Amino acid sequence: MTSQHRYKRHLYVSISLMSMAAAAPVAAQADAQAPSPAAATADQELPEGQVADIVVTGFRAALNNALNQKRNETAAIDSIVAEDIGKFPDSNLAESMQRIPGVALSRGDGGEGRNISVRGLGAQFTRVRINGMEGVSQVSGSDIRGGVATGRSFDFVTFPTEIFSALSVRKTMSADVEEGSLGATVDLRAPRPFDQKKDFVLSGTARGIYNDIRKDIDPRLSAIVSKKFGDTFGILGSIAYSKRRIDEYAYSAVDVVPTYVYGQAAPAGAPNAGVIFPFCTPVGYSYGGAATTSPVPGYTQPNGVGIGADANNCSTNNPRTGTAAAYDYIMSRTGVSGRPGGGVFLPRLPRPVKSSQDQQRLAGTLTLQWKPSDNTDISLDGLYSRFKVNRLDAYFDARSFGRAISNNGQPLTSVREIEVDDNGSLIHGLFDGVDLRSEMQEERFTSEYRQANLNLDHRFSDTFRLFGLVGINESRLDVNRLQVAIDSNDSRDWSIDFRDNPDIPKIGYGIDTTNPALFRYGPPLTNGDQQGQLSNFIRRNVILSKTFELNGEWQAAQGFTFVAGGQYRTNRYTARERQLGTTTPLTLPAGVSIADFTYTTSGIGKNLDGQLQDFVSVDPTKFRNAVGLDNYAYCSIECARGTYGGVDEKYKSGYLMVRFDTKDVLPFELRGDAGVRYVHTSLDTYGPITTAAPAGSAYSSRFVISEVSRSYEDWLPAVNLALDITPELIARFSAARVMSRPSYGQLIPAGSANLVIQTASFSNPFLDPIRANTIDAALEWYFAPGSLVSVGYFYKNIETYIQALPQLVPFQDIGLPLSLLSGTQLRPTDLFSVQRNVNTPGGPLRGFEVNVQLPFRFLPGPLSNFGALGNFTRVRSNITYLLGNGRTRVAPLVGLSGETASGTLYYEDNRFSIRSTVNYRSSFLTAVPSGSIDADSSSNASSIFVDASASYNLTDNIKLIAEVSNITNETNRLTVDTVRQDPLYTAYFGRTYALAINFQL
């Protein structure tokens, strides 16, 4: 982040808070000191024995409602409730949860909140229940943001907030709560008819949303209607629709690697045999006192075709223009590997990125509720959500730095100038013979979620009650991703310079990057020259879950209740993917030129500090028509491409728990629960393993489906205690054993290789769950109505962890058939970066959190309508990671931010409401090991996001709303290596503004 950007950010923060402070008293003058009806209802002190009717109609009342729920719980639970029917405090569920202590937000495309981590434990450790039933929401994203989802994490971006009335984050476990969470269990609840105070309710909201990068106005609409028929039956329906268009601009390195990785080893018998020379050596170059030429004159590819290397040329029409000074500078820096060139790190694919999206989100709920008496409550809840995205990403790569000599890459590039800092990070460089690639990735995906569940609750007597549910849900993700690239090889005067901006370099290409006549598309040449790329996959992931649950509750004595229950759940995950039968571009049809299917990507320089340039890009629709892509053949099992796998899980569990309250038994009030849960997990997995195809097959390789079955069991005790030291002071203590299962993608028995970037990956169906023992303690002081100061401590002893273990392995030793190399320029001895999922030692996690909620009633006049929320969490962990070759490293948990904080200042009277929220998240690791050569980890940089919203009640039924998010224009910034912190990805997605009108009847 530049110093100018930091200054702007601090300025925007100040302006946001100052404007709120200035605006509120002005609005307050119109209403003198009339308190808001919601605040009066929620905050007033009532005579003993009377209970207030809490009608949630404002932000202050919503806060107090949530605070009352927290106070009455025995476990550590924080809640957020709707300000009014159909009006959640924020436009995104994940963004709302940022105000909860210990919750940190991970943002996806366009900066919208995608998922959460709780107390340092990432989204994969957080379970989400919708109306009491566990659910998984899937999305797809760019590779830098995780690609196609294959895990158990929940993507909140798929659901609009308007269809929910409350959410809660359960940070400590009880025996009656299903297992599977290491971090937290989040409960989302849709409204029901008998939640409403009126017999008939109708509410609707219309928003217009504007982003200052895309500069379009997008609609967001919602409505909810509820009707009670007498005192026994009610029906409630809600619907929400939004359309959003997003532009995001970024610089991406894809990876940062030492120069030797894609270099060329001098052959046996040549001077300096075995030494890796990263670039094409200058004319007459000497190393170690011996004259050395790389590539050697007469070098040929494995197919016997020469590349045209001689004493004066790296390859045909590609002269050796490098300088000895620059080459010696590189070879003198050995770095942690000890290899020449190992101390100079270059971005593998330095490139600008423009990502454009069209999003449509449609969701709705329908609830039928029958209450024939006060003792019986039966409801049928239905929910549907569809999140549809068309995304177009355009990149412009300097491809040579990520290509070996098999693709005529880096060893054929000449280096004229180069400078790195003491850590080896690139400062600037000038090169010749650089291959350029314009790459297009079009992805269309639809994420659908359906759920129906029947809930029954009947009290047979004052002491005995049965309750349970039967439910089914399905999460379906359909993805169609097309990638097309066009190449311009051996360009001169390619430069990269980080001196003006350490996050976004200035790049000069040496050609007119907008001229399609300079690019080629077609099959690779026999000498190894690339002429573009083509790939397309069509994928469907389905998660089908069924739940049967029955619980009984018996009050054995005053203040003592026994609860027991059983649950049977099934999860079925299936993944099916087909890919194009050809992995290389075909010759363009007669009469078709590149100009026929390209356009110019614009806005690059304007939105990336003027550092990068506009460029020619492939139009996906024109390309499909030009080459007749619809007539291409697809395959899967028969050609060993895509995937064909699944996981069938069955959970049988039961629990016994006692709830107690000593208020009427002992002179002090100790509330709590204690119990144990038993769960038996059985799973059947199947997945694709690549093998050689039988003779006569149309393809050289095919999939063999491997099947693995296994089971395991867990005993999970849990206890939660809440001691009311005084009516205002509560001490809490919790302890539990918890577990979190591996992701589905990790369990499918599969192995595959990417021959383009020379990587391979293997999953592991024998992975054990991540298990931990946890302790929590807290002290909460409710010193005034609507007020809280609390401090909490938590500790988790993580017994085992799951990570990808990386190793550099010759392809011939990976375990995949050599036939995969057919038709490529790769040799069996070429090194591949191989990652395998394994269980590893875990480690401890500990931290504390502080939470403050304070309405300013003590201030005079209109100032008493102000209030503030604030929280701070500090977490530390020491996880043992395996680095390969017997090496280990102790580092923080992946996804764990050492510090997170949130602060909200608000003002609210009976007509006007305004608030501003600042959220801080410190940097966190995204991968250990990083997957990059000679880099210990990759990280997401710290961030500060500032949002604000205001509303004004025109009448009792009509409200105007204004919102702005990312006021400071914060970026998303990823880096690689703890010491170097080389920029990996820096994205701008702009500020978003919204104006809305809400009506209620």
Side-chain angles (χ1 to χ4, degrees):
M1 183 183 298
T2 62
S3 59
Q4 182 182 22
H5 183 70
R6 291 192 187 96
Y7 171 77
K8 288 181 178 179
R9 183 175 70 177
H10 294 154
L11 180 62
Y12 277 120
V13 174
S14 301
I15 291 174
S16 173
L17 297 178
M18 289 173 60
S19 62
M20 192 181 72
V26 174
Q29 291 176 8
D31 297 288
Q33 298 185 29
S36 69
T41 303
D43 296 339
Q44 64 189 354
E45 302 255 359
L46 296 174
E48 187 176 354
Q50 294 187 24
V51 179
D53 235 6
I54 300 179
V55 181
V56 179
T57 58
F59 183 66
R60 187 192 296 266
L63 292 177
N64 283 279
N65 198 349
L67 197 65
N68 290 335
Q69 293 181 25
K70 177 181 178 66
R71 186 172 187 172
N72 293 327
E73 293 284 353
T74 56
I77 299 177
D78 291 285
S79 302
I80 296 176
V81 297
E83 298 177 36
D84 214 327
I85 184 168
K87 175 63 175 73
F88 225 69
D90 300 276
S91 59
N92 180 281
L93 290 167
E95 291 168 0
S96 285
M97 283 186 274
Q98 288 182 106
R99 286 196 295 273
I100 292 177
V103 174
L105 178 65
S106 295
R107 295 179 182 266
D109 298 325
E112 189 171 4
R114 179 172 172 178
N115 43 48
I116 63 168
S117 67
V118 181
R119 291 176 166 178
L121 292 159
Q124 69 272 30
F125 303 120
T126 299
R127 289 179 56 259
V128 175
R129 299 190 300 186
I130 301 176
N131 293 332
M133 184 177 175
E134 181 180 4
V136 175
S137 169
Q138 309 172 82
V139 301
S140 182
S142 57
D143 291 340
I144 198 73
R145 288 188 171 132
V148 180
T150 60
R152 302 175 190 269
S153 59
F154 191 93
D155 288 292
F156 291 92
V157 71
T158 62
F159 286 92
T161 62
E162 292 90 342
I163 65 172
F164 295 105
S165 60
L167 67 83
S168 61
V169 178
R170 176 185 293 268
K171 300 176 186 175
T172 63
M173 293 299 294
S174 299
D176 60 335
V177 178
E178 306 98 296
E179 75 294 333
S181 165
L182 202 68
T185 297
V186 176
D187 279 298
L188 302 178
R189 187 171 181 271
R192 290 178 176 170
F194 284 90
D195 294 341
Q196 318 309 317
K197 298 301 179 184
K198 299 179 181 178
D199 289 338
F200 177 76
V201 174
L202 175 64
S203 176
T205 303
R207 277 183 173 83
I209 301 173
Y210 175 86
N211 180 270
D212 62 5
I213 290 184
R214 183 64 182 252
K215 300 188 186 320
D216 285 324
I217 298 177
D218 297 322
R220 179 167 178 163
L221 309 170
S222 64
I224 186 169
V225 60
S226 175
K227 172 64 176 176
K228 287 187 285 189
F229 300 89
D231 297 328
T232 61
F233 183 73
I235 183 170
L236 183 148
S238 69
I239 189 169
Y241 171 81
S242 66
K243 181 177 181 180
R244 189 181 181 197
R245 290 164 290 183
I246 299 170
D247 278 350
E248 183 175 304
Y249 293 86
Y251 162 74
S252 173
V254 179
D255 198 358
V256 179
V257 295
T259 59
Y260 71 83
V261 170
Y262 292 104
Q264 171 71 6
N272 298 300
V275 175
I276 296 178
F277 290 90
F279 295 99
C280 178
T281 53
V283 175
Y285 183 68
S286 292
Y287 180 76
T292 298
T293 302
S294 180
V296 296
Y299 175 86
T300 62
Q301 296 286 14
N303 60 7
V305 175
I307 64 173
D310 57 31
N312 296 307
N313 295 277
C314 309
S315 58
T316 302
N317 298 321
N318 181 22
R320 300 176 185 270
T321 59
T323 65
Y327 214 103
D328 286 338
Y329 180 84
I330 292 172
M331 299 297 283
S332 67
R333 293 175 172 262
T334 56
V336 296
S337 68
R339 300 186 184 190
V344 174
F345 292 84
L346 301 180
R348 187 167 74 83
L349 296 177
R351 61 192 189 182
V353 180
K354 181 180 180 181
S355 180
S356 299
Q357 285 192 36
D358 288 339
Q359 298 180 352
Q360 291 188 60
R361 186 163 43 201
L362 174 66
T365 66
L366 180 64
T367 297
L368 307 178
Q369 190 173 9
W370 182 43
K371 297 185 70 173
S373 69
D374 291 340
N375 293 324
T376 303
D377 189 345
I378 301 174
S379 64
L380 179 64
D381 297 312
L383 183 145
Y384 173 79
S385 175
R386 186 191 70 199
F387 184 55
K388 185 176 181 180
V389 174
N390 292 340
R391 192 182 76 239
L392 180 63
D393 295 339
Y395 313 91
F396 198 78
D397 312 339
R399 202 73 179 181
S400 288
F401 303 102
R403 282 178 174 170
I405 198 169
S406 58
N407 290 320
N408 284 355
Q410 184 177 291
L412 306 188
T413 299
S414 295
V415 55
R416 290 160 51 188
E417 298 177 11
I418 193 166
E419 181 184 3
V420 298
D421 63 18
D422 293 340
N423 296 319
S425 298
L426 181 65
I427 297 175
H428 71 93
L430 178 62
F431 305 85
D432 288 334
V434 176
D435 297 342
L436 304 179
R437 167 170 285 184
S438 175
E439 183 178 351
M440 175 275 294
Q441 178 174 289
E442 181 201 43
E443 182 170 272
R444 304 173 183 176
F445 78 81
T446 300
S447 176
E448 287 187 291
Y449 184 90
R450 300 175 176 90
Q451 178 171 312
N453 53 291
L454 178 66
N455 302 272
L456 304 99
D457 191 336
H458 180 69
R459 183 170 292 279
F460 290 87
S461 67
D462 292 340
T463 60
F464 183 65
R465 168 185 171 229
L466 281 179
F467 57 99
L469 67 84
V470 177
I472 182 171
N473 62 41
E474 181 188 70
S475 174
R476 176 174 296 188
L477 175 64
D478 288 297
V479 184
N480 188 326
R481 180 185 290 182
L482 171 67
Q483 291 177 285
V484 183
I486 53 178
D487 285 3
S488 179
N489 295 332
D490 296 335
S491 63
R492 308 276 164 196
D493 298 316
W494 186 89
S495 62
I496 183 169
D497 194 337
F498 284 93
R499 286 175 291 192
D500 290 341
N501 188 327
D503 297 324
I504 303 177
K506 180 176 289 184
I507 298 180
Y509 297 95
I511 66 168
D512 179 1
T513 58
T514 63
N515 184 359
L518 300 179
F519 292 81
R520 296 184 290 179
Y521 177 84
L525 302 181
T526 55
N527 69 351
D529 272 355
Q530 301 295 301
Q531 298 189 106
Q533 176 186 346
L534 171 64
S535 69
N536 188 197
F537 70 75
I538 301 172
R539 183 179 181 117
R540 170 170 286 182
N541 291 353
V542 179
I543 302 174
L544 179 65
S545 300
K546 300 176 182 178
T547 299
F548 306 88
E549 176 184 319
L550 183 63
N551 308 276
E553 187 179 275
W554 173 53
Q555 185 177 348
Q558 185 69 30
F560 289 89
T561 301
F562 288 95
V563 187
Q567 188 180 73
Y568 177 74
R569 290 181 289 150
T570 64
N571 285 348
R572 172 171 292 178
Y573 171 83
T574 58
R576 301 289 186 268
E577 181 183 301
R578 296 180 297 124
Q579 295 187 1
L580 282 175
T582 175
T583 58
T584 58
L586 302 180
T587 302
L588 289 174
V592 174
S593 70
I594 288 179
D596 294 331
F597 57 80
T598 55
Y599 70 101
T600 298
T601 291
S602 60
I604 302 296
K606 177 182 177 182
N607 289 283
L608 292 175
D609 293 345
Q611 301 289 91
L612 302 168
Q613 303 174 23
D614 295 346
F615 52 87
V616 63
S617 297
V618 174
D619 182 295
T621 301
K622 292 181 179 179
F623 176 82
R624 290 175 186 271
N625 294 332
V627 305
L629 189 64
D630 291 342
N631 298 320
Y632 281 39
Y634 291 79
C635 60
S636 178
I637 294 178
E638 67 274 24
C639 65
R641 292 181 192 140
T643 193
Y644 186 97
V647 179
D648 288 343
E649 295 177 316
K650 297 180 178 65
Y651 315 128
K652 300 174 184 177
S653 62
Y655 72 92
L656 178 63
M657 183 178 75
V658 60
R659 294 193 185 118
F660 51 87
D661 187 337
T662 66
K663 177 176 59 176
D664 299 323
V665 179
L666 298 175
F668 58 87
E669 183 173 3
L670 177 65
R671 298 174 286 121
D673 60 72
V676 63
R677 186 178 192 89
Y678 168 80
V679 58
H680 181 274
T681 302
S682 62
L683 62 157
D684 300 306
T685 65
Y686 61 96
I689 302 295
T690 305
T691 187
S697 298
Y699 302 98
S700 60
S701 303
R702 69 184 304 273
F703 281 147
V704 172
I705 304 303
S706 173
E707 298 181 357
V708 176
S709 297
R710 62 177 300 219
S711 64
Y712 52 86
E713 60 183 21
D714 289 272
W715 290 91
L716 305 172
V719 60
N720 294 280
L721 303 175
L723 176 63
D724 293 340
I725 301 174
T726 70
E728 293 79 28
L729 189 63
I730 300 175
R732 299 184 187 272
F733 175 82
S734 300
R737 182 168 177 79
V738 296
M739 56 90 82
S740 179
R741 297 181 176 92
S743 71
Y744 295 116
Q746 292 172 330
L747 289 173
I748 290 178
S752 62
N754 186 321
L755 303 182
V756 177
I757 58 176
Q758 295 179 216
T759 63
S761 61
F762 293 84
S763 53
N764 184 354
F766 296 100
L767 289 172
D768 287 327
I770 299 176
R771 298 181 172 98
N773 296 317
T774 70
I775 294 176
D776 290 75
L779 193 63
E780 300 169 357
W781 182 30
Y782 299 85
F783 58 91
S787 304
L788 168 68
V789 173
S790 69
V791 60
Y793 170 83
F794 50 90
Y795 173 85
K796 300 179 187 292
N797 179 24
I798 301 173
E799 296 178 352
T800 184
Y801 188 65
I802 297 173
Q803 69 163 88
L805 179 63
Q807 292 178 302
L808 278 177
V809 181
F811 185 86
Q812 62 190 12
D813 298 330
I814 288 177
L816 298 177
L818 296 180
S819 59
L820 286 177
L821 303 184
S822 300
T824 74
Q825 302 296 342
L826 293 168
R827 292 179 168 88
T829 55
D830 286 345
L831 294 177
F832 273 58
S833 177
V834 180
Q835 300 207 38
R836 301 177 189 269
N837 291 312
V838 296
N839 280 107
T840 62
L845 179 150
R846 57 176 62 84
F848 71 89
E849 58 190 28
V850 178
N851 185 24
V852 177
Q853 181 168 317
L854 180 63
F856 294 168
R857 291 188 190 83
F858 51 86
L859 295 178
L863 295 179
S864 64
N865 294 319
F866 274 99
L869 316 173
N871 65 73
F872 172 80
T873 302
R874 184 180 189 272
V875 190
R876 294 293 183 267
S877 65
N878 296 293
I879 304 298
T880 301
Y881 295 93
L882 304 184
L883 303 181
N885 301 320
R887 298 177 298 130
T888 63
R889 180 195 173 199
V890 176
L893 187 69
V894 168
L896 182 149
S897 289
E899 290 81 30
T900 57
S902 173
T904 299
L905 181 63
Y906 67 88
Y907 173 92
E908 186 173 65
D909 58 36
N910 65 338
R911 285 196 177 274
F912 183 71
S913 175
I914 185 170
R915 63 180 178 270
S916 182
T917 300
V918 180
N919 288 287
Y920 168 76
R921 182 176 186 180
S922 66
S923 61
F924 58 93
L925 300 176
T926 56
V928 181
S930 66
S932 302
I933 305 301
D934 295 344
D936 60 357
S937 59
S938 56
S939 303
N940 198 306
S942 62
S943 61
I944 298 177
F945 282 87
V946 183
D947 306 319
S949 66
S951 64
Y952 183 77
N953 296 324
L954 290 177
T955 69
D956 291 341
N957 304 108
I958 299 177
K959 178 188 295 185
L960 294 180
I961 303 168
E963 300 164 334
V964 57
S965 60
N966 193 23
I967 294 174
T968 60
N969 197 22
E970 181 64 284
T971 62
N972 184 31
R973 189 163 59 93
L974 308 180
T975 64
V976 63
D977 195 74
T978 303
V979 175
R980 300 195 317 270
Q981 296 188 22
D982 288 328
L984 196 61
Y985 187 80
T986 303
Y988 291 84
F989 36 79
R991 305 174 185 88
T992 300
Y993 306 86
L995 288 176
I997 185 168
N998 167 265
F999 75 90
Q1000 293 188 43
L1001 295 178

